[in-house]
Protein backbone atom coordinates (compact mmCIF):
# COMPACT_ATOMS: atom_id res chain seq x y z
CA UNK A 1 0.00 0.00 0.00
CA UNK A 2 1.13 3.49 -0.74
CA UNK A 3 1.86 6.03 1.95
CA UNK A 4 2.41 9.77 2.18
CA UNK A 5 4.73 11.47 4.66
CA UNK A 6 4.57 15.17 5.35
CA UNK A 7 7.63 16.28 7.25
CA UNK A 8 6.76 18.83 9.90
CA UNK A 9 3.25 19.02 11.29
CA UNK A 10 3.71 22.75 11.95
CA UNK A 11 5.68 25.25 9.89
CA UNK A 12 6.01 28.92 10.76
CA UNK A 13 7.35 31.58 8.38
CA UNK A 14 7.49 35.34 8.30
CA UNK A 15 5.39 37.27 5.83
CA UNK A 16 7.36 37.58 2.60
CA UNK A 17 9.58 34.58 3.33
CA UNK A 18 9.85 31.41 1.30
CA UNK A 19 7.32 28.70 2.04
CA UNK A 20 8.50 25.08 1.77
CA UNK A 21 6.20 22.23 2.75
CA UNK A 22 7.63 18.76 2.33
CA UNK A 23 5.89 15.67 1.00
CA UNK A 24 7.37 12.24 0.29
CA UNK A 25 5.43 9.30 -1.08
CA UNK A 26 5.97 5.60 -1.55
CA UNK A 27 4.97 4.24 -4.92
CA UNK A 28 6.29 1.62 -7.30
CA UNK A 29 4.54 3.14 -10.30
CA UNK A 30 4.29 6.73 -11.54
CA UNK A 31 1.77 8.32 -9.22
CA UNK A 32 -0.78 11.05 -9.39
CA UNK A 33 0.04 13.57 -6.66
CA UNK A 34 -2.03 16.35 -5.15
CA UNK A 35 -1.74 19.27 -2.76
CA UNK A 36 -4.91 20.48 -1.09
CA UNK A 37 -5.37 23.44 1.25
CA UNK A 38 -7.89 23.70 4.06
CA UNK A 39 -8.74 27.07 5.55
CA UNK A 40 -10.33 27.16 9.02
CA UNK A 41 -13.84 25.72 9.11
CA UNK A 42 -13.83 25.00 5.40
CA UNK A 43 -13.51 21.99 3.16
CA UNK A 44 -10.41 21.13 1.17
CA UNK A 45 -9.52 22.97 -2.01
CA UNK A 46 -7.14 21.76 -4.71
CA UNK A 47 -3.91 23.79 -4.95
CA UNK A 48 -2.25 21.77 -7.71
CA UNK A 49 -1.74 18.26 -9.02
CA UNK A 50 0.84 16.20 -10.89
CA UNK A 51 -0.50 13.85 -13.54
CA UNK A 52 2.68 12.77 -15.38
CA UNK A 53 3.04 15.84 -17.57
CA UNK A 54 5.50 18.59 -16.59
CA UNK A 55 7.43 17.86 -13.41
CA UNK A 56 7.11 21.46 -12.21
CA UNK A 57 3.47 22.11 -11.52
CA UNK A 58 2.03 25.57 -10.96
CA UNK A 59 -1.07 26.00 -8.87
CA UNK A 60 -3.31 28.67 -7.48
CA UNK A 61 -2.28 31.52 -5.18
CA UNK A 62 1.35 31.46 -6.38
CA UNK A 63 2.13 27.94 -5.17
CA UNK A 64 4.10 25.40 -7.16
CA UNK A 65 5.45 21.91 -6.61
CA UNK A 66 8.13 19.83 -8.27
CA UNK A 67 7.83 16.10 -8.82
CA UNK A 68 11.19 14.40 -8.22
CA UNK A 69 10.98 10.71 -9.00
CA UNK A 70 14.50 9.96 -7.75
CA UNK A 71 13.66 11.42 -4.37
CA UNK A 72 10.00 10.29 -4.33
CA UNK A 73 9.13 13.84 -3.33
CA UNK A 74 6.55 16.43 -4.24
CA UNK A 75 7.43 19.46 -2.12
CA UNK A 76 5.22 22.56 -2.18
CA UNK A 77 6.78 26.01 -2.41
CA UNK A 78 5.81 29.64 -2.63
CA UNK A 79 8.46 32.37 -3.02
CA UNK A 80 6.80 34.92 -0.72
CA UNK A 81 4.34 34.04 2.04
CA UNK A 82 1.23 36.10 2.60
CA UNK A 83 -0.83 36.26 5.76
CA UNK A 84 -3.74 34.71 3.87
CA UNK A 85 -1.66 31.55 3.26
CA UNK A 86 -2.10 30.49 6.88
CA UNK A 87 -3.96 27.19 6.63
CA UNK A 88 -3.61 23.42 6.77
CA UNK A 89 -1.95 21.80 3.76
CA UNK A 90 -2.42 18.17 2.75
CA UNK A 91 -0.43 16.11 0.30
CA UNK A 92 -2.15 13.10 -1.27
CA UNK A 93 -1.26 10.31 -3.69
CA UNK A 94 -3.69 8.38 -5.84
CA UNK A 95 -3.57 4.65 -5.19
CA UNK A 96 -4.97 1.96 -7.43
CA UNK A 97 -7.25 -0.49 -5.63
CA UNK A 98 -8.71 -3.06 -7.98
CA UNK A 99 -10.65 -1.20 -10.62
CA UNK A 100 -10.78 1.88 -8.49
CA UNK A 101 -8.39 4.62 -7.44
CA UNK A 102 -8.51 6.41 -4.12
CA UNK A 103 -6.50 9.13 -2.45
CA UNK A 104 -4.04 8.33 0.32
CA UNK A 105 -3.58 11.40 2.48
CA UNK A 106 -0.75 12.74 4.55
CA UNK A 107 -1.38 13.98 8.08
CA UNK A 108 -1.17 17.60 7.03
CA UNK A 109 1.10 20.55 7.76
CA UNK A 110 -0.22 23.60 9.54
CA UNK A 111 1.31 26.76 8.11
CA UNK A 112 1.50 29.88 10.28
CA UNK A 113 2.53 33.21 8.74
CA UNK A 114 3.89 35.81 11.11
CA UNK A 115 3.74 39.55 10.41
CA UNK B 1 -21.22 26.31 -11.01
CA UNK B 2 -22.54 25.42 -7.56
CA UNK B 3 -20.17 23.56 -5.30
CA UNK B 4 -20.73 20.58 -3.06
CA UNK B 5 -23.40 21.31 -0.47
CA UNK B 6 -23.54 19.74 2.97
CA UNK B 7 -25.89 20.07 5.90
CA UNK B 8 -25.98 20.58 8.75
CA UNK B 9 -22.72 22.48 9.30
CA UNK B 10 -22.61 21.66 12.99
CA UNK B 11 -24.21 18.99 15.15
CA UNK B 12 -23.94 18.21 18.83
CA UNK B 13 -25.42 14.97 20.12
CA UNK B 14 -25.03 12.67 23.10
CA UNK B 15 -23.46 9.26 22.79
CA UNK B 16 -25.79 6.49 21.71
CA UNK B 17 -27.96 8.94 19.79
CA UNK B 18 -28.27 8.80 16.03
CA UNK B 19 -27.34 11.47 13.49
CA UNK B 20 -27.57 11.93 9.75
CA UNK B 21 -25.63 14.10 7.33
CA UNK B 22 -26.70 15.13 3.86
CA UNK B 23 -24.61 15.88 0.77
CA UNK B 24 -25.48 17.24 -2.64
CA UNK B 25 -22.57 16.86 -5.09
CA UNK B 26 -21.70 19.01 -8.06
CA UNK B 27 -24.19 18.45 -10.85
CA UNK B 28 -23.09 15.72 -13.23
CA UNK B 29 -20.44 14.24 -10.95
CA UNK B 30 -20.76 10.48 -10.92
CA UNK B 31 -18.47 9.81 -7.98
CA UNK B 32 -19.22 10.80 -4.40
CA UNK B 33 -17.01 10.34 -1.36
CA UNK B 34 -17.58 10.56 2.37
CA UNK B 35 -14.53 11.25 4.52
CA UNK B 36 -14.02 11.44 8.26
CA UNK B 37 -11.45 13.98 9.43
CA UNK B 38 -10.41 13.79 13.06
CA UNK B 39 -8.71 16.86 14.49
CA UNK B 40 -5.05 16.92 13.55
CA UNK B 41 -5.30 14.18 10.94
CA UNK B 42 -5.84 13.87 7.22
CA UNK B 43 -9.15 12.79 5.73
CA UNK B 44 -10.03 9.11 6.00
CA UNK B 45 -12.22 7.68 3.25
CA UNK B 46 -15.35 6.07 4.67
CA UNK B 47 -17.23 5.23 1.49
CA UNK B 48 -17.08 5.94 -2.23
CA UNK B 49 -20.05 5.76 -4.60
CA UNK B 50 -19.99 5.53 -8.37
CA UNK B 51 -23.46 6.71 -9.38
CA UNK B 52 -25.63 4.83 -6.88
CA UNK B 53 -23.32 1.86 -6.42
CA UNK B 54 -20.71 1.40 -3.68
CA UNK B 55 -17.14 1.21 -4.98
CA UNK B 56 -15.25 1.16 -1.69
CA UNK B 57 -16.55 0.94 1.87
CA UNK B 58 -13.63 -0.95 3.36
CA UNK B 59 -13.09 1.61 6.14
CA UNK B 60 -16.73 2.19 7.01
CA UNK B 61 -17.62 0.89 10.50
CA UNK B 62 -20.64 -0.98 9.26
CA UNK B 63 -21.95 -1.85 12.69
CA UNK B 64 -22.85 1.79 13.26
CA UNK B 65 -22.34 3.72 10.02
CA UNK B 66 -24.49 3.51 6.92
CA UNK B 67 -24.68 5.52 3.73
CA UNK B 68 -26.84 5.60 0.68
CA UNK B 69 -26.97 7.45 -2.59
CA UNK B 70 -30.41 6.98 -4.00
CA UNK B 71 -30.85 7.94 -7.66
CA UNK B 72 -27.13 8.56 -7.93
CA UNK B 73 -27.28 12.18 -6.82
CA UNK B 74 -27.72 13.19 -3.16
CA UNK B 75 -26.29 11.09 -0.39
CA UNK B 76 -26.85 10.63 3.32
CA UNK B 77 -24.46 9.28 5.92
CA UNK B 78 -25.91 7.98 9.17
CA UNK B 79 -24.37 7.06 12.49
CA UNK B 80 -26.40 4.94 14.89
CA UNK B 81 -25.53 4.77 17.74
CA UNK B 82 -22.86 7.45 17.99
CA UNK B 83 -19.74 7.02 20.12
CA UNK B 84 -17.45 9.64 21.60
CA UNK B 85 -14.74 8.77 19.10
CA UNK B 86 -17.05 9.70 16.22
CA UNK B 87 -16.46 13.38 17.01
CA UNK B 88 -14.93 14.68 13.80
CA UNK B 89 -15.59 16.66 10.66
CA UNK B 90 -17.45 14.69 8.00
CA UNK B 91 -16.50 15.81 4.53
CA UNK B 92 -18.33 15.05 1.34
CA UNK B 93 -16.55 15.31 -2.00
CA UNK B 94 -17.40 14.59 -5.60
CA UNK B 95 -15.53 14.07 -8.86
CA UNK B 96 -16.56 13.52 -12.45
CA UNK B 97 -15.77 9.84 -12.92
CA UNK B 98 -13.56 8.76 -10.04
CA UNK B 99 -10.43 8.37 -12.13
CA UNK B 100 -7.07 8.72 -10.42
CA UNK B 101 -6.02 12.06 -11.84
CA UNK B 102 -9.33 13.78 -11.25
CA UNK B 103 -9.79 16.62 -8.81
CA UNK B 104 -12.06 15.94 -5.89
CA UNK B 105 -14.27 18.88 -4.94
CA UNK B 106 -15.09 19.16 -1.27
CA UNK B 107 -18.02 20.57 0.61
CA UNK B 108 -17.56 22.67 3.77
CA UNK B 109 -18.05 19.66 6.04
CA UNK B 110 -20.25 18.83 9.00
CA UNK B 111 -18.59 19.22 12.38
CA UNK B 112 -19.93 16.57 14.79
CA UNK B 113 -19.41 16.66 18.52
CA UNK B 114 -20.50 13.64 20.52
CA UNK B 115 -20.84 14.26 24.26
Amino acid sequence: AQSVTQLGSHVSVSEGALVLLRCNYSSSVPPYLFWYVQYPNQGLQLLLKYTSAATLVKGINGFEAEFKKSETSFHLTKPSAHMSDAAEYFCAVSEEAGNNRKLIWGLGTSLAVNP
Amino acid sequence: EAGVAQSPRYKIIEKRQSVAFWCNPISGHATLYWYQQILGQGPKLLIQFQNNGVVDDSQLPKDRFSAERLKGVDSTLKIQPAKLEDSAVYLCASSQQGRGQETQYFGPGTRLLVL
Side-chain angles (χ1 to χ4, degrees):
Chain A
Q2 297 195 36
S3 65
V4 175
T5 302
Q6 291 185 239
L7 294 174
S9 58
H10 297 278
V11 170
S12 181
V13 300
S14 298
E15 191 173 18
L18 170 72
V19 176
L20 171 60
L21 304 182
R22 301 178 186 273
C23 174
N24 288 88
Y25 66 92
S26 67
S27 174
S28 58
V29 297
Y32 300 124
L33 292 158
F34 303 79
W35 275 101
Y36 280 82
V37 61
Q38 187 175 31
Y39 298 103
N41 298 317
Q42 295 187 27
L44 286 84
Q45 177 184 7
L46 180 73
L47 271 178
L48 48 80
K49 63 181 176 181
Y50 169 76
T51 58
S52 72
T55 57
L56 182 62
V57 181
K58 294 188 183 298
I60 62 171
N61 301 338
F63 284 92
E64 63 182 34
E66 186 172 8
F67 171 66
K68 291 187 176 180
K69 184 178 179 180
S70 61
E71 298 177 9
T72 60
S73 69
F74 191 56
H75 301 330
L76 182 71
T77 60
K78 182 174 180 177
S80 177
H82 192 272
M83 296 295 289
S84 61
D85 295 326
E88 190 85 16
Y89 292 80
F90 292 93
C91 181
V93 61
S94 181
E95 175 182 77
E96 187 171 331
N99 294 324
N100 184 38
R101 275 188 172 264
K102 64 181 182 182
L103 290 180
I104 305 301
W105 296 83
L107 294 180
T109 297
S110 178
L111 175 66
V113 181
N114 306 309
Chain B
E1 178 181 80
V4 177
Q6 290 188 248
S7 68
R9 290 295 310 275
Y10 304 93
K11 191 73 178 178
I12 301 174
I13 61 172
E14 296 187 347
K15 61 183 180 184
R16 292 188 288 273
Q17 285 187 324
S18 63
V19 64
F21 312 128
W22 173 82
C23 173
N24 182 239
I26 291 174
S27 177
H29 280 193
T31 310
L32 185 147
Y33 313 81
W34 281 104
Y35 288 93
Q36 180 192 60
Q37 187 180 21
I38 293 173
L39 188 65
Q41 298 183 19
K44 169 189 168 184
L45 179 67
L46 292 176
I47 190 167
Q48 177 180 344
F49 291 95
Q50 184 74 12
N51 297 308
N52 60 351
V54 175
V55 174
D56 184 346
D57 64 356
S58 57
Q59 297 194 91
L60 185 73
K62 298 179 185 64
D63 58 333
R64 297 184 301 107
F65 286 64
S66 64
E68 60 182 9
R69 191 184 183 196
L70 299 176
K71 302 180 181 179
V73 182
D74 293 8
S75 177
T76 56
L77 176 70
K78 296 180 182 178
I79 308 175
Q80 183 178 11
K83 292 185 176 181
L84 297 177
E85 59 260 36
D86 298 331
S87 294
V89 177
Y90 291 85
L91 296 166
C92 178
S94 69
S95 66
Q96 287 188 318
Q97 290 293 333
R99 296 195 180 102
Q101 72 272 35
E102 286 182 354
T103 298
Q104 293 185 21
Y105 296 86
F106 285 80
T110 296
R111 189 174 299 271
L112 174 67
L113 178 61
V114 182
L115 302 176

